[in-house]
Amino acid sequence: GAGAGDGVRWVSVSPCVVLHTVNAHEEVDPLTGLGSGKVRLQALRSIPGGPQSFICEYTPAFLYEWVLDFERGVLLAEGYLSDVPVEFPALNPRFHGSAAARWCYAITPSSAGGPLEHYATPEQGILIDGLVKLDLTTGAAAARFTLPQGRHVVSEPTFVAREGGSGGEDDGYLLLVTSAVTAAAGVTGAAKRRRVSNGSTLLVFDARTIGEGPVAELPLPADLPYGLHSFFVPWGDLTDE
């Protein structure tokens, strides 16, 4: 009955943890032009190092791909596409579920184990200071940008299509929130974990050329700690309701 898992197909793969998916699509049968029952799934795969992974400790995740045959319930292929540790992947939303999707944008950690006292986050968490554009067909890092020292990423990248653009997959902008942090002089113990910020900024990148740095920087009216999830709403969609 409903909710009993009817119609769910299970396929065994190598043990791992996936917190964030990137994209998935059904392969088309070249003879019939119809769905083949074979699904190509791309996600960030990690292998936990202990029971506290993802809670008190950090386990790096990498772009990985599975090819699954749901008609037969078997794994056809799996493997890493990239050796760049990344988190919080984003696509142009128009290409979700599309075989044509080529570009993935993600944030990259600079260190594990802190020091994160000023963010009030898990002490064995990560500091994130980079943005990378990955080619989903090869796994190559097509472009990268690293923030200035002392500034860290506190949101996932958000893709916004360019108004009046070509409609190309990377014809748009990436929004990224960053914060600067300084130590609280003379503060020790539990209080040391209080975040002391020097300001937060919204960075705007041209998705085609992120390696050249942001095309605009907008100071925010409040200091933002780690939030990581983000969303863009066009101004015209906002109402008083």
Side-chain angles (χ1 to χ4, degrees):
D6 293 352
V8 174
R9 302 288 184 89
W10 295 97
V11 178
S12 295
V13 300
S14 300
C16 65
V17 169
V18 172
L19 293 183
H20 300 107
T21 57
V22 176
N23 199 28
H25 66 271
E26 184 177 12
E27 300 282 337
V28 174
D29 188 316
L31 298 179
T32 66
L34 302 176
S36 65
K38 298 176 182 177
V39 172
R40 189 174 298 271
L41 167 65
Q42 295 161 332
L44 304 186
R45 178 182 190 264
S46 59
I47 302 176
Q52 294 299 313
S53 292
F54 311 109
I55 299 175
C56 299
E57 299 172 353
Y58 173 63
T59 301
F62 303 89
L63 181 61
Y64 199 85
E65 183 176 81
W66 296 261
V67 181
L68 310 165
D69 186 335
F70 283 104
E71 294 296 327
R72 295 186 292 155
V74 296
L75 172 70
L76 299 178
E78 65 175 314
Y80 286 104
L81 294 179
S82 172
D83 61 0
V84 178
V86 289
E87 297 291 345
F88 296 94
L91 298 182
N92 178 335
R94 291 182 54 249
F95 287 79
H96 284 157
S98 170
R102 180 180 180 184
W103 303 117
C104 168
Y105 311 94
I107 53 180
T108 58
S110 58
S111 68
L116 295 181
E117 296 91 351
H118 318 298
Y119 278 114
T121 54
E123 293 183 0
Q124 294 302 313
I126 55 174
L127 290 174
I128 303 167
D129 69 354
L131 176 66
V132 62
K133 179 180 183 179
L134 295 175
D135 188 331
L136 294 176
T137 62
T138 66
R144 301 182 70 157
F145 179 78
T146 302
L147 296 174
Q149 185 174 2
R151 183 165 287 278
H152 302 292
V153 177
V154 295
S155 78
E156 61 188 327
T158 301
F159 185 94
V160 180
R162 191 187 311 271
E163 288 284 346
S166 66
E169 184 182 358
D170 61 352
D171 188 9
Y173 301 97
L174 287 173
L175 308 182
L176 196 68
V177 179
T178 70
S179 290
V181 176
T182 57
V187 179
T188 60
K192 187 179 180 182
R193 288 196 290 273
R194 290 201 300 263
R195 181 180 58 84
V196 180
S197 177
N198 273 351
S200 297
T201 304
L202 173 66
L203 303 184
V204 182
F205 294 83
D206 186 323
R208 297 171 297 187
T209 57
I210 67 169
E212 297 178 8
V215 296
E217 301 186 22
L218 296 96
L220 299 178
D223 295 336
L224 299 181
Y226 271 118
L228 295 179
H229 289 301
S230 57
F231 187 71
F232 175 79
V233 179
W235 183 261
D237 292 350
L238 296 175
T239 67
D240 292 336
E241 300 175 0

